[in-house]
């Protein structure tokens, strides 16, 4: 059967205890001779008791799926059973289009935690942030529910409203957020220029990611007049929850000439794999800054860790999520599937980031926006000149040609735009400043 590996994010196990009064020696003997098959017989007995004696009639198929799901979810937060419907949705999601809110979630201490909102989705536009805890859906508590059950409550028809209750660090009280469900069409990579830098925002790792990356890079380089005019690349992996392992390897390979990208180690040593870069760097050795934060998980961490270990990029931002395991999706009969954690992955230096995350080379936190921020112009500026140029009767600068004056004014305009970017996205502005600094120190023709 066909299977593929995912580096992406993915309950509670309901147990039934039947007690019988048995003589102590017999109980001890039975305990010693218990086998896996006897345990399976026990499961069958319980299943039959539920079918025959539970207070309400049960759906046998749902009961078995719940048992399978509980067994897998007891292993780790990322192993799970996918019903035929869920398996179909997952296959669509890896192709880049699906229905929902646009958030990647996991479970932590019994609560549903947002790993990251996806760019341009209803959840993102509603202001959901990485690290938020969702406690209620439409007033119904999620405490005690398995992750799949909680996610099921958040699903619904496209166009319908859902109200989620959020607990956020730094906020004194929980608050409600209204979101309109929509069809999520992910653009895997977005591109733009900031000054002489190319910014590539990678939102997910699906089948579109590498082709999108190459196309957006080519488009932005052309807009700057060629690679010679580019001072560097910002690879923005913030709030990227991961995706296909193959795409993470492909993206890292796009900027590496050689060397290991990632290795995976399973339960048996012979199952381990190493993935190496192939010759060819899309940007010809130009400096790279990788942006990460607490919403950067799994495949994002593979890319960031590989570029960091090879000293190919400077990693900036805050510590990543710390998911260092690989899930293999295995098709099952009846069109269902099983997502099973089969390996841990390691960066080229042999680091496992499981539960630790990738630590940035330069820690830069993103300040929270303050609507009550002061006006840009200080009040005192209205009462006097701000520079020599404002003084009446000043001397003219006759040492510069008109072209040189125009160049200085253009450079000043660029600096002012950079200052505006700091207000909008401080981490990105910091990354751009690093590339400017590296460019200034580089060799001159």
């Amino acid at each position: 059967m066909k299977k593929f590996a995912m580096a992406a994010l993915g309950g509670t196990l309901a147990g039934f205890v039947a007690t019988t009064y048995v003589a102590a020696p017999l109980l001890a003997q039975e305990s010693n001779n218990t086998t896996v098959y006897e345990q399976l017989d026990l499961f069958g007995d319980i299943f039959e008791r539920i079918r025959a004696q539970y207070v309400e009639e049960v759906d046998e198929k749902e009961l078995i799926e719940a048992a399978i799901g509980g067994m897998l979810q007891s292993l780790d937060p990322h192993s799970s059973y996918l019903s035929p419907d869920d398996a179909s949705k997952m296959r669509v999601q890896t192709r880049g289009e699906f229905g929902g809110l646009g958030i990647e979630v996991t479970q932590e201490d019994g609560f549903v935690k947002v790993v990251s909102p996806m760019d341009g989705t209803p959840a993102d536009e509603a202001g959901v942030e990485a690290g938020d805890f969702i406690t209620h859906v439409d007033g119904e508590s999620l405490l005690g529910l398995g992750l799949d059950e909680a996610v099921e409550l958040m699903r619904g028809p496209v166009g319908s409203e859902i109200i989620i209750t959020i607990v956020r660090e730094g906020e004194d009280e929980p608050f409600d957020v209204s979101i309109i469900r929509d069809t999520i069409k992910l653009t895997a990579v977005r591109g733009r220029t900031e000054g002489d830098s190319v910014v590539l925002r990678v939102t997910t790792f699906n089948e579109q990611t590498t082709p999108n990356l190459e196309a957006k890079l080519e488009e932005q380089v052309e807009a700057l007049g060629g690679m010679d005019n580019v001072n560097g690349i910002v690879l923005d992996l913030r709030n990227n929850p991961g995706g296909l392992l193959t795409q993470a390897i492909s993206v890292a390979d796009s900027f590496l000439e050689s060397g290991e990208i990632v290795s995976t180690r399973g339960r048996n040593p012979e199952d381990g794999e190493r993935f190496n870069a192939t010759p060819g760097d899309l940007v010809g050795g130009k400096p790279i800054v990788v942006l990460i934060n607490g919403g950067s998980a799994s495949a994002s961490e593979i890319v960031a860790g590989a570029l960091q270990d090879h000293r190919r990029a400077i990693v900036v931002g805050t510590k990543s999520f710390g998911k260092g395991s690989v899930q293999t999706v295995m098709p099952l009969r009846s069109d269902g599937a099983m997502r099973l954690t089969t390996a841990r992955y390691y960066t080229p230096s042999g680091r496992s980031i499981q539960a630790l995350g990738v630590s940035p080379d330069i820690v830069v936190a993103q300040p929270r926006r303050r609507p009550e921020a002061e006006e840009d112009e200080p009040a005192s500026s209205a009462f006097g000149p701000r520079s020599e140029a404002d003084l009446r009767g000043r001397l003219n600068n006759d040492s510069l040609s008109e072209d040189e004056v125009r160049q200085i004014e253009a450079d000043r305009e660029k600096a002012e735009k950079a200052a505006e970017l700091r207000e909008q996205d401080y981490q990105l502005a910091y990354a751009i400043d690093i590339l400017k600094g590296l460019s200034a120190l580089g060799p001159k023709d």
Side-chain angles (χ1 to χ4, degrees):
M1 288 184 288
K2 185 179 179 182
K3 62 182 181 180
F4 62 93
M6 294 189 73
L9 292 168
T12 58
L13 175 63
F16 299 89
V17 179
T19 59
T20 310
Y21 294 99
V22 185
L26 286 177
L27 187 60
Q29 183 180 1
E30 181 180 350
S31 176
N32 291 335
N33 295 329
T34 296
T35 67
V36 172
Y37 297 103
E38 288 172 332
Q39 291 294 99
L40 290 174
D41 286 340
L42 174 62
F43 173 83
D45 290 342
I46 294 172
F47 177 73
E48 290 300 330
R49 291 281 184 92
I50 293 171
R51 290 177 64 196
Q53 299 179 17
Y54 185 65
V55 66
E56 295 178 355
E57 188 173 346
V58 295
D59 185 311
E60 297 170 358
K61 180 180 177 183
E62 289 182 1
L63 198 61
I64 292 173
E65 286 185 352
I68 295 170
M71 177 170 57
L72 286 165
Q73 290 168 6
S74 71
L75 301 173
D76 66 81
H78 311 299
S79 295
S80 62
Y81 170 72
L82 301 172
S83 68
D85 284 346
D86 290 340
S88 176
K89 289 174 184 176
M90 187 211 64
R91 286 189 286 269
V92 171
Q93 180 172 341
T94 61
R95 293 195 292 270
E97 182 176 330
F98 57 98
L101 305 181
I103 52 175
E104 189 78 27
V105 295
T106 188
Q107 199 159 41
E108 185 174 298
D109 298 328
F111 295 95
V112 175
K113 182 178 182 180
V114 177
V115 175
S116 66
M118 301 171 187
D119 282 2
T121 61
D124 180 43
E125 293 171 359
V128 177
E129 297 181 3
D132 285 347
F133 285 91
I134 301 175
T135 62
H136 294 73
V137 171
D138 291 330
E140 184 175 345
S141 175
L142 301 185
L143 187 61
L145 294 182
L147 186 61
D148 289 342
E149 295 172 294
V151 169
E152 191 63 35
L153 282 179
M154 289 186 266
R155 290 177 179 153
V158 170
S160 61
E161 182 186 27
I162 179 175
I163 296 176
I164 60 175
T165 304
I166 286 177
V167 172
R168 178 177 295 167
E169 185 178 355
E171 298 288 341
D172 295 332
E173 298 290 337
F175 57 93
D176 291 338
V177 175
S178 173
I179 305 175
I180 304 299
R181 297 179 177 96
D182 199 0
T183 299
I184 310 301
K185 295 182 179 179
L186 289 180
T187 302
V189 182
R190 294 184 174 92
R192 70 190 230 229
T193 59
E194 288 289 344
D196 297 329
S197 304
V198 173
V199 180
L200 297 173
R201 169 84 179 109
V202 183
T203 60
T204 188
F205 288 88
N206 60 29
E207 293 172 3
Q208 304 172 13
T209 302
T210 300
N212 281 182
L213 181 80
E214 294 172 353
K216 294 298 181 183
L217 176 62
E218 183 179 356
E219 180 183 304
Q220 299 308 315
V221 169
E222 185 177 342
L224 288 175
M227 190 61 75
D228 289 343
N229 297 324
V230 176
N231 68 6
I233 308 296
V234 176
L235 189 63
D236 189 352
L237 301 178
R238 292 174 297 177
N239 293 332
N240 183 322
L244 298 176
L245 174 62
T246 53
Q247 287 296 308
I249 294 167
S250 179
V251 168
D253 192 9
S254 298
F255 303 106
L256 293 171
E257 289 282 0
S258 62
E260 183 180 306
I261 294 173
V262 66
S263 63
T264 61
R265 303 177 198 173
R267 181 171 171 180
N268 299 315
E270 59 270 20
D271 292 335
E273 291 186 274
R274 293 183 183 275
F275 300 91
N276 296 315
T278 55
D281 180 347
L282 285 182
V283 296
K286 291 283 184 177
I288 300 174
V289 174
V290 175
L291 284 176
I292 61 171
N293 64 5
S296 305
S298 201
S300 301
E301 295 171 296
I302 289 174
V303 174
L307 297 181
Q308 183 182 55
D309 280 3
H310 284 288
R311 304 178 67 85
R312 181 64 187 89
I314 299 172
V315 178
V316 172
T318 55
K319 184 175 72 69
S320 63
F321 184 79
K323 179 185 174 294
S325 61
V326 177
Q327 283 65 50
T328 301
V329 178
M330 306 172 182
L332 302 173
R333 63 187 67 182
S334 302
D335 294 326
M338 174 173 64
R339 181 165 46 203
L340 187 67
T341 299
T342 53
R344 289 182 172 88
Y345 69 76
Y346 296 80
T347 68
S349 64
R351 290 182 297 159
S352 169
I353 57 86
Q354 175 62 29
L356 296 176
V358 173
S359 297
D361 299 305
I362 303 174
V363 176
V364 179
Q366 184 84 304
R368 292 189 179 275
R369 294 182 181 179
R370 296 182 179 178
E372 68 277 7
E374 298 178 2
E375 296 293 327
D376 292 338
E377 288 291 331
S380 59
S381 65
F383 299 100
R386 290 174 293 176
S387 70
E388 175 75 10
D390 297 313
L391 293 175
R392 189 187 301 276
R394 71 192 186 286
L395 294 176
N396 291 325
N397 189 329
D398 56 5
S399 66
L400 300 174
S401 67
E402 290 185 4
D403 288 342
E404 289 173 325
V405 170
R406 279 194 291 270
Q407 182 60 49
I408 289 174
E409 290 174 347
D411 291 342
R412 183 180 297 130
E413 185 178 351
K414 286 183 180 179
E416 289 172 353
K417 286 183 178 179
E420 291 176 6
L421 181 61
R422 289 188 193 97
E423 294 296 323
Q424 300 165 5
D425 189 338
Y426 184 78
Q427 289 174 323
L428 178 58
Y430 198 103
I432 298 294
D433 286 343
I434 289 175
L435 293 178
K436 285 180 182 176
L438 292 173
S439 177
L441 293 174
K444 299 295 183 182
D445 294 333

